[in-house]
Amino acid sequence: MDKIIEILSGIKSGVDFANEEQIVTGGVLDSIDITEFITALEEEFDIEIGMEYMENENFDSVSAIWDMVEELQEA
Amino acid sequence: MTVVSGAFLIFLGTTLGFFYLCPRQHRWLVLLAASVLFYVLAGKWQFLPCITLTSLAVWVGARRISRLDAELKEALKDKGLDKAAKKSLRTQYKSLKSRTLVLVLVLCVGALCVTKFSRVVVALADQIAAISAMGVHMDPTLLVMPLGISYYTFSTIGYLLDVYWKRYPCEESFPRFFLYTIYFPHILQGPISRYNRLGASLKEGMSFSEENITHGAERIIWGFFKKLVIADRLNLMVSTVYDGKPHAGSIFLVTMLLDALMIYTDFSGYMEIVCGASQLFGVELEENFNHPFFSRTVAEFWRRWHMTLGGWFKDYVYYPISVSSWMKKLNRKNAKRLSKRASRVISVAIPCLCTWFLTGLWHGTGPNYVCWGIYYGVLITISNAFQEEFKAFDERWGINTESRSWRLLQMVRTFCIFMGGRVLTSPGNLANTAMVFDNIFHNLQPWQWFDGSLWTYGLKRPDGNVLILGLLLVLVVSFLQERTHVREEIDRRGVVLRWILMYAGIIAVIVFGVYGAGYDAAKFIYMQY
């Protein structure tokens, strides 16, 4: 999870991502940031995020992102 | 029938009566019948087969996709299958699903394109016929578009793609799905609703609630006020000045301002009416506006203006392009041969420009709409690409970016950019846009603001006073809505205040609404899209 926070902080500094529960729905990251984040996430964890995962709830908190990453790694 | 008419209010009242008299589990049938009737009354009965066929194609396609998913799931349970066999099965089913998706998309988008581009093609054919002296005249304005086709095509395509991406299960009942497509509050101008939200809301079986009735009625009155008192009054000057003829630059400048305010009060007024009407039935529609003129950047503006269209393009165009395999391949290639920054800018620019180009085409097929789309695509790409420079500029000059004055300046800048975008489309074509700018730069005549000339373009001085008061009211309400829930606040202050406000609103609409000769309430700006 620390790696996810590190990537997120690299895209937008000054946000307490560890405790943020509305990363997308709260407008912390916009659609451009999200695509940048996905590219970094895919490279870091060697996964491919398909359109079926492109939902706000999968990106709204670090724990939700981690759950998605784990699911994709297991698939 | 338009939503700003006595006929609509009678229709709404009658539907409401039948709706609440009906047993709860059958209420959706009342809405379905009323929606079909509204669609016929608002347009022509000949449009009905088009929307029915689109709905049917999407419903059948989504069911087939869902069935294929279920079959694959079942087939994968076979423990005798090795990894290669499972992969082959997945590929086989993916191909079947994709073929179904593409077929339905071609049908729906094809129907939309034919209706949208047929006028352009006919106009071109007419010009060719005129040049070659064939003696044939074709009038493109005689071609009519099925009512709400841009909106219902997008809603249904969104549903189909969501089912394809397994975001939620498909709808088993066609009448229920058809109600989602044709639901009368959203069929003409949106909001472009998502099936998982509106479909569920329509299914739940709506019970009577006094709060829904009063809040719904309040929104309808507020919408009538925005449309009839402000937007239609602003339209008196805007339609007079944007007549294709040259006027003083000072008059064009005022018209640019009024036009921006007009489209906001017109479209948001419509949304207040339809969201209020839907609330009367206990069905909540998605919001389309969140005080866009308080936005500090263009990107923020488009997250607050026509939110359901922006959300649609983000989810079904921008993201699919951004995360597509060819885009990822290109990004990887660029990362190796270009600087980090250049690679990042390209990865943002391609999906952004494609999305805005299509957004422009959605609004209109003329070159002015294409320019409009590119205008926003380029602006958003630039603002993203030069983020570091903008930040360095702020630091270099010691600008406190969170100060009130700076925020206000940013809001004014965003509003000016929006006005600039409107000038690309409002005057009708690019030649007229060029004429507007030519007069602003070479024929300003600023004294026309003070010598009374301003009041000879459709608006009289008393209209100006009504507009100032009306727009101030909208501004104050917007400020309050940014900070609190205004309607709940009114509720807390008692019934008397609520009724006073409602009656004041009705009287204001009756007394100050624009109903003069030549007035056409049917013309909501966003209906043409």
Side-chain angles (χ1 to χ4, degrees), chain B residues 474-529:
Chain B
V474 172
L475 184 69
V476 169
V477 171
S478 301
F479 264 125
L480 292 172
Q481 284 174 334
E482 282 275 287
R483 284 159 180 75
T484 180
H485 297 284
V486 174
R487 281 180 297 164
E488 282 78 356
E489 206 55 48
I490 294 170
D491 286 350
R492 260 195 292 277
R493 282 160 205 264
V495 184
V496 178
L497 177 71
R498 187 204 294 159
W499 281 103
I500 288 173
L501 289 174
M502 280 171 87
Y503 276 118
I506 293 168
I507 290 165
V509 170
I510 294 169
V511 176
F512 300 114
V514 177
Y515 309 99
Y519 161 71
D520 181 6
K523 280 188 176 174
F524 269 105
I525 298 166
Y526 264 74
M527 245 171 99
Q528 66 186 303
Y529 305 139

Side-chain angles (χ1 to χ4, degrees), chain B residues 162-221:
Chain B
D162 284 346
V163 171
Y164 180 82
W165 288 321
K166 292 185 267 187
R167 286 177 174 166
Y168 47 79
C170 71
E171 172 57 65
E172 293 296 333
S173 150
F174 177 67
R176 288 234 191 229
F177 181 70
F178 191 49
L179 170 59
Y180 157 73
T181 313
I182 203 169
Y183 182 50
F184 76 89
H186 82 154
I187 185 62
L188 299 185
Q189 279 183 242
I192 300 169
S193 312
R194 302 295 173 96
Y195 184 77
N196 56 336
R197 290 173 211 149
L198 180 62
S201 192
L202 288 169
K203 248 182 188 179
E204 274 166 10
M206 319 75 173
S207 53
F208 180 84
S209 140
E210 197 192 326
E211 191 186 277
N212 278 336
I213 299 292
T214 50
H215 283 186
E218 282 165 12
R219 281 197 83 162
I220 292 173
I221 295 167

Side-chain angles (χ1 to χ4, degrees), chain B residues 422-454:
Chain B
R422 284 293 296 163
V423 183
L424 289 172
T425 57
S426 285
N429 55 51
L430 289 176
N432 287 348
T433 301
M435 181 195 64
V436 170
F437 283 118
D438 186 41
N439 279 281
I440 289 172
F441 291 116
H442 302 113
N443 179 32
L444 190 60
Q445 300 183 38
W447 55 88
Q448 289 210 12
W449 287 329
F450 311 102
D451 68 359
S453 306
L454 196 60

